[in-house]
Amino acid sequence: SGLDGMLREPNGCFEQSSSSNYPNLMVMRYLKDHDLADAKLLTRSSGLLEKGYRKLVGYESKSKGYEWFGGDPGHEALTAYGLVQFADMKDVYGEVDTAMIGRTAAWLKARRDGQGGYKRDPKALDSFGRASPEVTNAYITYSLTEAGEKDLGRELDLLAKLAQSSPDAYVLG
């Protein structure tokens, strides 16, 4: 009943839909990892995951990143969050489009600045209260590694260098 109480209907923008879809994903993962065959709960969580996935992929921008409302261009950090979510979802929900994961990762890799970081679109919706460039770069690199991407030597080297002197717990993590 505790797991059932955590399930929510995904709605709203990309970020809002993710805030219910990701817990739904974690419930489904828990059920599968612990071989809990509660048919009603599996059916409900699977259905909500299907709705969440369909909603989230609808926010893909024309340039293949993700944006809160599906606008173009995509937003780098939000796309990175989506990439991790889709990669995690692939493990428990068989309908995740691996080509979409590939093109999302390719879009993020195309945003690399050649110095170990990533370019940001100046029209980003989150111009207030955003994480530092170092933390955002680290998160984007993390998301790419979680999606199985390789060829991130320059980005990983920069993060290792920053971790030697940064007092920021997120950069160190």
Side-chain angles (χ1 to χ4, degrees):
S1 66
L3 292 174
D4 187 53
M6 293 173 63
L7 295 172
R8 296 285 180 265
E9 183 85 27
N11 60 53
C13 68
F14 188 93
E15 190 174 27
Q16 292 166 330
S17 294
S18 292
S19 72
S20 55
N21 192 66
Y22 228 136
N24 292 345
L25 164 62
M26 295 296 123
V27 167
M28 179 68 93
R29 175 178 285 157
Y30 184 84
L31 291 169
K32 289 189 176 201
D33 286 352
H34 292 82
D35 199 24
L36 300 174
D38 182 323
K40 182 180 173 189
L41 189 55
L42 280 169
T43 299
R44 182 169 178 234
S45 61
S46 181
L48 290 171
L49 208 51
E50 164 74 18
K51 287 180 183 180
Y53 174 71
R54 296 290 168 219
K55 186 159 197 59
L56 292 170
V57 296
Y59 292 117
E60 187 174 21
S61 67
K62 286 186 279 185
S63 64
K64 302 306 175 208
Y66 282 84
E67 197 269 343
W68 280 267
F69 304 100
D72 205 45
H75 184 274
E76 294 80 15
L78 190 70
T79 300
Y81 180 64
L83 181 60
V84 172
Q85 184 174 183
F86 294 133
D88 283 348
M89 196 181 305
K90 190 174 83 167
D91 294 337
V92 297
Y93 176 70
E95 301 300 315
V96 175
D97 181 2
T98 55
M100 177 271 299
I101 289 176
R103 71 178 172 262
T104 301
W107 184 84
L108 281 171
K109 287 174 80 174
R111 301 295 300 153
R112 292 187 285 190
D113 65 10
Q115 298 175 22
Y118 301 85
K119 300 175 215 166
R120 309 289 191 286
D121 191 285
K123 296 178 283 195
L125 186 60
D126 70 337
S127 60
F128 61 93
R130 77 172 81 172
S132 70
E134 295 80 15
V135 169
T136 302
N137 288 338
Y139 185 72
I140 294 170
T141 299
Y142 163 79
S143 74
L144 287 164
T145 63
E146 286 297 294
E149 290 296 314
K150 311 289 187 221
D151 184 33
L152 297 165
R154 187 169 289 183
E155 291 75 20
L156 292 169
D157 289 346
L158 177 62
L159 292 175
K161 181 179 174 186
L162 289 172
Q164 293 175 13
S165 62
S166 178
D168 189 313
Y170 290 108
V171 171
L172 293 173

